[in-house]
Amino acid sequence: MTRKATPSPRKIIAAFLSEDHGGMTAFALFGIVVGCMFAGLAIDVTNVHRQKELITVAADAAAQAGIIALSEERTPVEIRTAALAAAELNAPTGLVGRTTQGASDVQLVRYDPRTRTLVAGTPNAVQVTLHRDDSVDNPVATGLLRFAGIDAFEVSVTSVAFYGQPGICTSSDGIYAKGQVTLTSG
């Protein structure tokens, strides 16, 4: 009986490297990993955008509720309470999580429509800030991007509603009216 000689490790490695069987499998696995990274980026960035839009709508509604209370000459506490109630109604804690630090996120401010800035003086506007960040222990968690080391995104939005005569009107500034406005569609 003849015994075959065992090939050297160098020959085994050279033979392995010269083989092309399974090359497409390795390429496909690499493609799957890259595809998952792009999917994670798309899904998580889209979720952050969605969460920002949700709290933007809630901040707008809260500022609107606050300005209505201001126009009814309610107390600052009642104005803040109305704004926070509207924020909770439009971005419920049970659905979105905590988005405010309380009354400090609702400010009674003076808005100058000519310069479009906040100035000192008697309040004629309500400013509401909502958060999805560490300040309220509620950042927007990621899904697949967690594998890339990104655990969460922080989002904060501010909305100001103004009560008074507008400055220079443009078609994109919103709805101007004297009296009551009734909208029949969204």
Side-chain angles (χ1 to χ4, degrees), residues 1 3 5-6 13 30 56 63-64 68 70 80 92 95 104 116 118 122 126 137 139 145 149 155 157 173-174 177 179:
M1 221 189 229
R3 210 169 127 164
T6 305
I13 291 171
F30 177 74
T56 298
Q64 181 69 24
I68 289 170
L70 180 69
R80 287 185 175 93
L95 176 68
S104 64
R116 296 178 180 245
L118 300 179
T122 305
V126 176
D137 297 324
L145 285 181
V155 179
V157 298
D173 282 344

Side-chain angles (χ1 to χ4, degrees), residues 1-147:
M1 221 189 229
T2 34
R3 210 169 127 164
K4 282 188 167 181
T6 305
S8 70
R10 182 178 285 174
K11 287 184 179 179
I12 292 172
I13 291 171
F16 176 76
L17 292 175
S18 67
E19 281 292 322
D20 60 1
H21 295 331
M24 286 307 291
T25 301
F27 184 71
L29 289 174
F30 177 74
I32 289 171
V33 169
V34 170
C36 286
M37 287 180 357
F38 281 117
L41 182 65
I43 290 168
D44 289 334
V45 168
T46 301
N47 183 45
V48 168
H49 180 70
R50 181 179 158 269
Q51 294 299 322
K52 182 178 181 184
E53 288 301 313
L54 196 147
I55 65 171
T56 298
V57 169
D60 290 346
Q64 181 69 24
I67 202 64
I68 289 170
L70 180 69
S71 73
E72 294 171 347
E73 298 179 0
R74 293 190 186 169
T75 66
V77 171
E78 291 174 323
I79 294 168
R80 287 185 175 93
T81 301
L84 290 172
E88 174 62 27
L89 182 65
N90 288 280
T93 304
L95 176 68
V96 180
R98 188 170 167 219
T99 57
T100 69
Q101 297 172 359
S104 64
D105 282 333
V106 179
Q107 300 294 317
L108 304 179
V109 296
R110 176 116 187 125
Y111 177 76
D112 183 356
R114 297 198 195 322
T115 62
R116 296 178 180 245
T117 59
L118 300 179
V119 296
T122 305
N124 66 350
V126 176
Q127 175 179 302
V128 176
T129 303
L130 298 183
H131 314 265
R132 287 289 309 265
D133 57 21
D134 288 333
S135 71
V136 292
D137 297 324
N138 187 24
V140 180
T142 59
L144 293 175
L145 285 181
R146 195 166 285 157
F147 295 115

Side-chain angles (χ1 to χ4, degrees), residues 64 174-177 179-186:
Q64 181 69 24
I175 300 172
Y176 295 100
Q180 183 174 351
V181 175
T182 303
L183 300 176
T184 58
S185 68

